[in-house]
């Protein structure tokens, strides 16, 4: 995980990066961010599983056995964790872990950070229909299906600080 | 000289020198009255004595001459005219004779040294005798000249008596030999006195002459022009001089502190060509002489390292460097993503035959 907090406030951009700040991001950057988010969610699920095991062990160590989770349960848990993680990230700082690494940020239709409800709904949509992301490759405004539904935009924003004041 | 010759009884046996009446030596008053030390410093004293003792020592010829000079010979005048001058002349002649005697003695000694030893053994020294005779004649002539200055008439009589004396023609050779011995005896009798007078005179005269000569001579200039100082210095054995010098004693007498206080060290340092000195210093050679290993052994490297680590916030440096590395990596990934986004969009747009995309996102100023 990159620690973007080490970035200086006035970012020193490489050649060609400054001009593209604030523009809508393309499919490659967003897909890369999504892959990172998937890995991030997997780590969260694994941590949750280990936490659950530790809880069971502490409660009855002698009777401890590794809990067996079915695929349905795993997928369900993964989706739930992913949706929550995405919603918290988007509503909190406007970006998930993957988006932070790739220098992306999601904004509403007025350019502000999403509200939690919109963020959660959009996160559920993304988790259920992740392939809708690839529409951004075709869209004239680099908009995915989720963007079209919730009128959001994912932009290049390497700045670590997120303007919070402009909430519509 | 003629005045002295009339006293020599030519042709007869030489009289006894001890006989006062027939003493052929002309005894000037000053000589007889003096205590044997005749010199210039006592000249005035001699003059007084001459004035007092003049009359008893006068022969009849002198008495006649004195009568011719003075109208009243029985009453000696308080001051005899010409007596002072005669005394001076006599003293001058005596000094001259003394000087001549000194030279003659040396000549006689030289002549004697060239003669065979047998001549010395016989007691007859012809060379010495002749030299003494010559000197005796000289001193007698001097004394006579002095006497002649006092009385001109005194000189006339003896000359005539000598000329009219028929005995002078007889036994001329014997008389000559006797006269020579007599003159020699006369010389020897007054040799010491005359030499002493000459010595006293020269003792006073030589320093005066030397001083006068030196006053007229620029010795320094003469030395500069005539003396080859370098040649003299080259012959000087400096090592021997230095060996004889007690350098330690000289140094002990030098107040080094006073000398140092008078030295302008600041000026010396300013005049020193430090850069030239430093250029001539072989630093590598100095380093080779240094026992670096020994220096290192004496260093507490552990403590020094700990101090350095305490002063350096190493974790912060590692954090910043790793953060910078991560930042660079992330920037590279982001830039690659941007480029890939542009490339994909361009491909898709070309496939769809579409113009540029509208990538401006809704910002704060505008609201879509």
């Amino acid at each position: 995980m990159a620690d973007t907090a080490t970035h200086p406030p006035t970012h020193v951009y490489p050649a060609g990066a400054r001009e593209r700040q604030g523009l809508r991001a393309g499919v490659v950057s967003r897909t890369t961010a999504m892959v990172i988010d998937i890995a991030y969610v997997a780590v969260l699920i694994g941590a949750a599983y280990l936490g659950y095991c530790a809880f069971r062990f502490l409660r009855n160590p002698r009777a401890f056995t590794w809990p067996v989770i079915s695929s349905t349960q795993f997928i369900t848990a993964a989706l739930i964790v992913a949706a929550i993680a995405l919603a918290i990230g988007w509503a909190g700082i406007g970006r998930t872990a993957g988006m932070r690494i790739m220098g992306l940020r999601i904004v509403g239709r007025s350019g502000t950070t999403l509200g939690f409800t919109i963020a959660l709904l959009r996160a559920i949509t993304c988790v259920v229909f992740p392939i809708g992301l690839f529409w951004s490759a075709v869209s004239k405004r680099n908009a995915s299906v989720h963007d079209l539904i919730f009128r959001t935009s994912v932009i290049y924003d390497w700045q670590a600080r997120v303007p919070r004041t402009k909430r519509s | 000289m003629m005045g002295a010759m009339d006293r020599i009884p030519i042709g007869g046996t030489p009289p006894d020198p001890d006989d006062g009446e027939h003493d052929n030596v002309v005894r000037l008053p000053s000589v007889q009255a003096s205590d044997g030390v005749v010199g210039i410093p006592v000249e005035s004293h001699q003059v007084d004595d001459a004035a007092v003792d003049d009359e008893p020592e006068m022969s009849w010829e002198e008495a006649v001459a004195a009568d011719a000079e003075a109208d009243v010979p029985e009453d000696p005048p308080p001051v005899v005219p010409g007596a002072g001058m005669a005394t001076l002349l006599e003293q001058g002649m005596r000094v001259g004779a003394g000087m001549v005697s000194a030279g003659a003695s040396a000549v006689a000694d030289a002549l004697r040294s060239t003669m065979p030893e047998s001549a010395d053994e016989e007691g007859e020294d012809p060379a010495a005798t002749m030299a003494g005779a010559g000197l005796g004649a000289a001193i007698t002539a001097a004394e006579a000249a002095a006497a002649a200055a006092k009385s001109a008439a005194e000189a006339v009589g003896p000359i005539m008596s000598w000329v009219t004396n028929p005995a002078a023609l007889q036994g001329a050779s014997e008389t000559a030999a006797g006269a020579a011995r007599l003159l020699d005896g006369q010389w020897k009798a007054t040799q010491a006195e005359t030499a002493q007078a000459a010595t006293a005179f020269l003792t006073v005269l030589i320093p005066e002459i030397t001083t006068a000569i030196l006053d007229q001579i620029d010795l320094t200039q003469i030395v500069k022009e005539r003396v080859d100082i370098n040649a003299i210095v080259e012959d000087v054995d400096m090592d021997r001089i230095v060996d004889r010098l007690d350098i330690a004693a000289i140094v002990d007498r030098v107040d080094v502190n006073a000398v140092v206080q008078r030295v302008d060290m600041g000026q010396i340092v300013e005049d020193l060509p430090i850069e030239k000195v430093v250029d001539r210093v072989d630093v590598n050679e100095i380093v080779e002489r240094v026992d670096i290993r020994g220096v290192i052994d004496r260093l507490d490297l552990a403590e020094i390292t700990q101090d350095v680590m305490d002063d350096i916030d190493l974790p912060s440096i590692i954090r910043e460097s790793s953060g910078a590395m991560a930042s660079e990596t992330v920037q590279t990934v982001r830039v690659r993503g941007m480029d890939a986004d542009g490339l994909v969009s361009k491909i898709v747009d070309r496939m769809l035959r579409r113009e540029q995309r509208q990538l401006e996102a809704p910002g704060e100023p505008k609201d879509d």
Side-chain angles (χ1 to χ4, degrees):
Chain A
M1 302 288 290
D3 185 7
T4 53
T6 60
H7 287 188
T10 54
H11 206 93
V12 180
Y13 298 98
R18 175 182 291 277
E19 294 77 7
R20 286 185 262 190
Q21 296 297 313
L23 298 180
R24 291 189 175 94
V27 64
V28 177
S29 297
R30 298 177 64 171
T31 303
T32 305
M34 186 186 71
V35 171
I36 295 171
D37 284 337
I38 291 171
Y40 176 59
V41 169
V43 170
L44 287 179
I45 292 173
Y49 174 73
L50 292 176
Y52 174 66
C53 293
F55 173 74
R56 289 186 53 179
F57 175 78
L58 291 174
R59 194 181 65 177
N60 189 1
R62 291 185 175 181
F64 176 75
T65 56
W66 289 99
V68 178
I69 300 175
S70 63
S71 59
T72 306
Q73 291 175 326
F74 176 77
I75 292 172
T76 304
L79 291 177
I80 294 172
V81 169
I84 294 173
L86 291 175
I88 292 174
W90 290 340
I93 58 175
R95 52 186 50 151
T96 60
M99 293 173 73
R100 186 172 181 177
I101 292 173
M102 294 306 295
L104 305 177
R105 187 163 65 92
I106 186 169
V107 294
R109 59 179 185 177
S110 59
T112 57
T113 305
L114 301 178
F116 183 76
T117 304
I118 300 297
L120 182 60
L121 292 176
R122 189 178 188 276
I124 293 171
T125 306
C126 288
V127 169
V128 174
F129 187 61
I131 198 171
L133 175 64
F134 293 101
W135 184 249
S136 60
V138 182
S139 169
K140 195 175 182 179
R141 297 187 298 164
N142 283 352
S144 64
V145 175
H146 323 106
D147 292 331
L148 295 174
I149 295 172
F150 297 97
R151 303 186 68 180
T152 56
S153 299
V154 175
I155 60 173
Y156 299 116
D157 185 5
W158 291 16
Q159 292 291 339
R161 295 179 59 183
V162 176
R164 291 176 169 273
T165 55
K166 301 294 183 181
R167 177 169 293 182
S168 59
Chain B
M1 176 176 284
M2 295 306 289
M5 292 301 293
D6 63 339
R7 291 184 172 273
I8 303 171
I10 298 173
T13 303
D16 188 0
D18 297 331
D19 190 356
E21 280 294 318
H22 299 84
D23 189 0
N24 288 320
V25 176
V26 177
R27 300 192 181 279
L28 293 176
S30 63
V31 176
Q32 288 177 335
S34 67
D35 53 0
V37 178
V38 179
I40 293 177
V42 294
E43 185 178 358
S44 59
H45 176 68
Q46 291 172 345
V47 171
D48 294 339
D49 291 342
V52 172
D53 300 335
D54 191 23
E55 190 167 356
E57 293 296 328
M58 292 175 66
S59 60
W60 66 271
E61 294 92 348
E62 293 169 344
V64 172
D67 291 337
E69 279 187 319
D71 295 336
V72 185
E74 287 80 12
D75 296 328
V79 177
V80 179
M85 181 63 70
T87 306
L88 280 176
L89 181 58
E90 175 192 345
Q91 183 67 13
M93 294 302 291
R94 191 183 294 276
V95 169
M99 295 171 65
V100 171
S101 72
S105 298
V107 171
D109 291 340
L111 290 173
R112 192 179 299 112
S113 65
T114 59
M115 294 178 68
E117 294 181 355
S118 58
D120 294 338
E121 294 174 354
E122 292 174 355
E124 289 288 338
D125 188 355
T129 302
M130 292 307 294
L135 292 169
I139 191 62
T140 302
E143 291 171 349
K150 288 182 357 182
S151 175
E154 189 178 358
V156 176
I159 295 173
M160 295 304 295
S161 66
W162 182 76
V163 170
T164 56
N165 191 357
L169 302 175
Q170 299 175 357
S173 60
E174 293 180 0
T175 304
R181 281 195 294 273
L182 179 62
L183 289 172
D184 182 31
Q186 290 177 353
W187 156 246
K188 285 178 180 175
T190 58
Q191 180 181 15
E193 188 179 3
T194 344
Q196 203 167 18
T199 303
F201 176 74
L202 292 176
T203 302
V204 177
L205 185 63
I206 288 175
E208 293 292 334
I209 294 174
T210 306
T211 304
I213 292 173
L214 291 178
D215 288 344
Q216 300 298 322
I217 294 176
D218 187 357
L219 267 181
T220 305
Q221 188 64 29
I222 292 174
V223 169
K224 285 181 179 178
E225 293 178 354
R226 301 288 185 177
V227 178
D228 187 357
I229 304 290
N230 293 326
I232 296 174
V233 171
E234 286 178 358
D235 292 340
V236 174
D237 187 357
M238 294 300 292
D239 292 337
R240 187 178 176 189
I241 295 174
V242 172
D243 290 342
R244 294 173 64 183
L245 280 178
D246 188 356
I247 302 292
I250 296 174
V251 172
D252 289 342
R253 294 172 63 181
V254 175
D255 187 358
V256 179
N257 291 327
V259 174
V260 171
Q261 286 178 357
R262 294 171 62 182
V263 174
D264 187 357
M265 294 300 293
Q267 185 65 35
I268 293 175
V269 172
E270 288 181 0
D271 295 341
L272 269 181
I274 301 292
E275 293 183 355
K276 291 184 179 179
V277 175
V278 172
D279 290 341
R280 295 177 62 181
V281 173
D282 188 353
V283 180
N284 293 326
E285 185 176 352
I286 294 174
V287 172
E288 287 178 358
R289 292 183 180 180
V290 175
D291 183 8
I292 297 179
R293 189 72 208 173
V295 173
I296 292 175
D297 290 342
R298 292 167 63 184
L299 289 177
D300 188 355
L301 285 178
E303 184 177 355
I304 294 174
T305 305
Q306 185 62 46
D307 292 341
V308 172
M309 294 294 290
D310 292 342
D311 293 338
I312 296 176
D313 188 4
L314 196 59
S316 173
I317 294 175
I318 295 173
R319 213 164 37 237
E320 290 180 2
S321 60
S322 61
M325 287 174 61
S327 176
E328 289 183 1
T329 305
V330 168
Q331 283 190 0
T332 303
V333 172
R334 288 175 179 174
V335 172
R336 295 283 174 83
M338 285 181 173
D339 294 339
D341 289 343
L343 182 61
V344 169
S345 300
K346 194 174 293 182
I347 293 173
V348 172
D349 291 343
R350 186 170 297 173
M351 288 172 64
L352 298 178
R353 297 182 179 179
R354 198 167 54 190
E355 295 181 355
Q356 278 192 332
R357 300 193 180 196
Q358 299 175 354
L359 299 180
E360 287 79 12
E364 293 92 26
K366 55 184 180 181
D367 191 358
D368 59 344

